[in-house]
Amino acid sequence: MKIAVTGCCGRIGRRVVLAALKEGHTIIGVDSAGLTAAPPEEPELDFTANPAFTFHNVDVRDYDQVVGALRGCDAVIQLAGQPGPSKDNPVVTHNTNVVITWNILQAAAELGIKRIAQASSVNAIGFVFNSSHRFRQFPIDESHPCEPDEQYGLSKLICEMQADALVRRHPSIRVASLRLHWSIPTREYPIQFTSNPARTAADLWGYVQEDEGARAFLLAISPENDQNWSGHEIFFIVASETRGMREAKDSAALKEEWWPDVPCREGWKPEGKGGFFDCSKAARLLGWKHG
């Protein structure tokens, strides 16, 4: 397929492009940063010389530029946007992400592109950036209420609502919103980030390794999954175990310490290093499971 990857210069974007090239796809990379302005941290992520890759320096906040960049593509993977709340201006992340996402979705519809995968976030339900946290039940799955109270999580929830609106008007389009957790290069990486236990507890010690996240995006636009689902679907994309920490506590001890009053779904209990998320929907409809 000919796949447009917006936000191709970001950490996840580069992993997605690399994985797609390895599968033999033709890639249109779209970003406003510029390839030289955002060099990869790892040499193996440099794919600029690959003849199957073409780069477009595009301001994705401009709709006409987006249409021009996506023209002729078979699928779109939307990763462009602000990756977290702005510390300096509370409107930047919200406004940027909402405009970018709608531009990508609407441009795809205008051009007749039927397969779209977009980056949402676990923060759409109200996670680490929220001022308060109300987890209704463990494990967390797609039925959990969405209650963000900050700009980033709200922007991701709105991007999901935009996808709902798009497929109501264009029912032949298939959109996957992937709620990724903290994306990290390796499973060992987060062990150094444990100085704030309350913060790690607020995001339920979750993560997704970057290559595993990239694989989820490619599965979400794969023609092989056309018969599995249609319209707009939301998927949690999180590792099945808690991330590495200096504290040698298992999941049951972490729950007892931080979330003793949150009920567990019947038949489920925290065990070993098992995580607090249920990604069985992604396994069932996409064929994705964190490796």
Side-chain angles (χ1 to χ4, degrees):
M1 291 193 294
K2 187 176 184 180
I3 305 171
V5 179
T6 62
C8 68
C9 293
R11 287 183 16 242
I12 300 298
R14 289 185 180 273
R15 299 276 183 177
V16 169
V17 171
L18 188 64
L21 289 171
K22 288 180 177 178
E23 289 189 3
H25 299 292
T26 299
I27 304 302
I28 303 299
V30 179
D31 209 304
S32 59
L35 288 173
T36 57
E41 296 178 2
E42 302 162 72
E44 62 269 23
L45 293 180
D46 187 1
F47 42 72
T48 55
N50 192 310
F53 176 80
T54 303
F55 178 70
H56 291 263
N57 195 324
V58 167
D59 183 352
V60 286
R61 296 170 299 181
D62 184 298
Y63 181 72
D64 290 337
Q65 291 188 47
V66 172
V67 171
L70 269 53
R71 194 178 303 279
C73 291
D74 304 303
V76 179
I77 295 177
Q78 152 50 12
L79 303 169
Q82 296 289 325
S86 170
K87 297 179 181 179
D88 301 321
N89 189 333
V91 305
V92 169
T93 293
H94 173 276
N95 293 358
T96 300
N97 288 350
V98 169
V99 168
I100 287 174
T101 302
W102 181 249
N103 282 351
I104 302 299
L105 292 172
Q106 180 59 37
E110 179 178 327
L111 296 168
I113 299 171
K114 305 297 186 183
R115 298 183 181 92
I116 307 168
Q118 64 175 2
S120 185
S121 169
V122 295
N123 290 283
I125 73 170
F127 252 73
V128 69
F129 301 127
N130 257 34
S131 60
S132 61
H133 310 90
R134 292 200 302 162
F135 300 125
R136 306 299 176 82
Q137 179 178 278
F138 292 146
I140 302 290
D141 65 14
E142 291 80 6
S143 68
H144 194 283
C146 295
E147 298 174 319
D149 66 8
E150 46 77 31
Q151 54 184 294
Y152 178 68
L154 179 59
S155 75
K156 291 302 183 180
L157 179 58
I158 290 174
C159 89
E160 296 176 358
M161 296 171 65
Q162 289 174 333
D164 286 333
L166 190 83
V167 300
R168 281 194 292 269
R169 193 170 186 88
H170 305 277
S172 63
I173 293 178
R174 197 182 73 184
V175 183
S177 293
L178 304 189
R179 288 180 176 171
L180 274 73
H181 211 302
W182 182 27
S183 297
I184 60 174
T186 68
R187 289 162 176 77
E188 293 74 26
Y189 184 79
I191 199 169
Q192 56 191 301
F193 295 95
T194 57
S195 60
N196 189 338
R199 182 179 176 86
T200 57
D203 70 2
L204 298 179
W205 309 277
Y207 76 95
V208 58
Q209 197 272 331
E210 290 172 355
D211 291 316
E212 297 294 335
R215 186 166 59 86
F217 280 104
L218 292 177
L219 287 169
I221 61 168
S222 171
E224 295 182 4
N225 284 323
D226 282 351
Q227 303 304 314
N228 292 349
W229 58 281
S230 60
H232 173 225
E233 293 288 350
I234 296 167
F235 302 93
F236 273 101
I237 303 296
V238 188
S240 58
E241 73 275 4
T242 55
R243 63 182 184 249
M245 296 186 297
R246 291 187 180 91
E247 298 86 350
K249 295 181 180 179
D250 63 20
S251 298
L254 290 171
K255 181 188 182 303
E256 181 62 27
E257 179 178 357
W258 291 98
W259 307 109
D261 298 327
V262 177
C264 293
R265 185 176 65 201
E266 184 178 357
W268 183 91
K269 62 180 180 179
E271 294 181 317
K273 290 294 183 179
F276 289 80
F277 296 84
D278 179 355
C279 296
S280 59
K281 182 180 178 181
R284 185 174 71 255
L285 299 184
L286 300 182
W288 182 88
K289 185 177 181 180
H290 201 282

